[in-house]
Amino acid sequence: MNRIRISNETLNQYGTWIKTEGVDLTQFKRNPVLLWMHERGKIIGCIKNISVENNEITGEPYFDEVTEESRQAKQQWEKGTLRMGSPRFEVIDLSDAPELLKPGQTRPTVTKCKLVEFSMVDIGGNDDNIRLSRDGKDIILSKTEDNAGDDVLPVLNNVKKQNKMNDLKTIALMLGLAEGATLQEVQQKINVILGYQSANATLRTERDNLKKQLETMQLAGVTALVDDAIKAGKIDATKKDHFINLGKSVGQESLKLTFDAMHGSVKPTTVINAGGNGGAKNGKYQKLSEVPLEEFKLMRKEDPQEYRRLYKLEYGVDCPDVLSI
């Protein structure tokens, strides 16, 4: 019958290995139970003819065919489709002595342990490929050091140190330093970057304050231009908000150019007095008959005081109060 390897001293995928001469087989030989997938209660047979040779422990699987699992396992074992087993060891002692470390090892060597049971498993490369326990509790086996606690096989100190060095190398490269930069050089570069961040925050605050001050000044200038345009009669007071918003959009200079191109409202008397009519002297008519007809009608309505003055000059008497035509 084909033999199956129970254990050897090969470095496993979890970064440790089992020292063969340190494996206590006494209890297992008394009860060499063969389980299915390490499940208590699922006994499918036992291991016979256990042998220790060349730092390797082997044995012959015997399937009792009492259960369906046992009958199926035997058939698959004989056909060669089931070929992997997994031991469960109770760890007694560990060692990180340099002479017991193999190339690539990341966890302590198991120097003393007790074989508790052996199982047939479907896939040997998973976490059940080898089972370790200590003080009755399973030891978590992982390729990384993400887990922590008493139930985890610890990572060697030199491996942790190497991982930290790799992290430092990565950070140094990210900071634009040489990969061999020291921790002090990395810290100095980080301090410089933090200084830049603080300075940038201060500059942003100052920029925002200056921007608010400038906006306030611009608004004051635009408002003054709009108020002057209203006084000059260039725009109606009801349009004040519209032109203030326009000034915010186009700027104070552009708004000023717009107002400069506008003409203010002119009183009728200004038109009359500034006319080039030969009857007017020094910008004023001397009597009512000198006023042109169109200006005459406009004067009666818009500038009654001037009309009364010319009326008296024309007729020698005060103008009646009623001026309507």
Side-chain angles (χ1 to χ4, degrees), residues 286-291 296 299 307 310-311 313-315:
Q286 300 303 310
K287 54 185 179 179
L288 197 60
S289 59
E290 295 178 354
V291 181
F296 177 81
M299 181 183 295
Y307 179 86
L310 293 176
Y311 184 95
L313 290 174
E314 180 76 28
Y315 299 110

Side-chain angles (χ1 to χ4, degrees), residues 36-38 82-86 119-124 128-129:
W36 174 248
M37 298 292 291
H38 293 291
L82 180 63
R83 59 180 67 181
M84 178 63 71
S86 172
S119 291
M120 300 303 298
V121 296
D122 49 7
I123 300 176
D128 290 332
N129 187 35

Side-chain angles (χ1 to χ4, degrees), residues 3-7 47-53 56-60:
R3 300 184 68 81
I4 191 168
R5 179 184 296 112
I6 297 175
S7 179
I47 297 294
K48 295 184 176 182
N49 300 321
I50 300 171
S51 174
V52 180
E53 292 181 305
E56 185 174 75
I57 305 173
T58 62
E60 296 176 1

Side-chain angles (χ1 to χ4, degrees), residues 29-197:
K29 286 181 177 181
R30 292 195 186 108
N31 181 35
V33 63
L34 179 63
L35 302 181
W36 174 248
M37 298 292 291
H38 293 291
E39 289 190 45
R40 293 286 300 274
K42 283 195 175 181
I43 301 174
I44 60 176
C46 63
I47 297 294
K48 295 184 176 182
N49 300 321
I50 300 171
S51 174
V52 180
E53 292 181 305
N54 300 320
N55 292 325
E56 185 174 75
I57 305 173
T58 62
E60 296 176 1
Y62 167 76
F63 303 93
D64 59 20
E65 300 184 72
V66 173
T67 63
E68 182 60 33
E69 289 90 345
S70 179
R71 288 191 289 271
Q72 179 178 333
K74 180 181 179 181
Q75 293 174 10
Q76 292 179 325
W77 170 257
E78 291 175 347
K79 290 183 177 296
T81 54
L82 180 63
R83 59 180 67 181
M84 178 63 71
S86 172
R88 176 189 289 273
F89 291 110
E90 174 73 15
V91 175
I92 299 174
D93 199 7
L94 299 169
S95 175
D96 58 1
E99 63 272 16
L100 294 178
L101 300 181
K102 297 177 181 289
Q105 186 167 343
T106 59
R107 286 181 163 83
T109 303
V110 179
T111 56
K112 290 184 180 181
C113 62
K114 180 173 66 175
L115 179 59
V116 179
E117 55 93 354
F118 188 78
S119 291
M120 300 303 298
V121 296
D122 49 7
I123 300 176
N126 61 14
D127 287 352
D128 290 332
N129 187 35
I130 183 172
R131 282 291 185 95
L132 298 180
S133 61
R134 195 169 199 175
D135 299 328
K137 295 181 180 179
D138 280 355
I139 293 177
I140 297 174
L141 291 175
S142 173
K143 294 180 181 179
T144 66
E145 54 179 312
D146 296 337
N147 299 311
D150 295 336
D151 57 346
V152 177
L153 195 64
V155 176
L156 294 172
N157 289 332
N158 63 326
V159 174
K160 293 182 179 179
K161 182 177 180 181
Q162 183 61 45
N163 289 340
K164 290 181 180 179
M165 292 300 295
N166 290 338
D167 292 342
L168 181 63
K169 174 182 175 180
T170 301
I171 295 173
L173 292 174
M174 291 176 64
L175 293 174
L177 299 173
E179 64 179 40
T182 64
L183 177 60
Q184 183 179 4
E185 291 173 334
V186 170
Q187 290 174 333
Q188 288 176 347
K189 188 62 177 285
I190 291 176
N191 289 336
V192 171
I193 293 175
L194 292 176
Y196 286 152
Q197 290 179 342

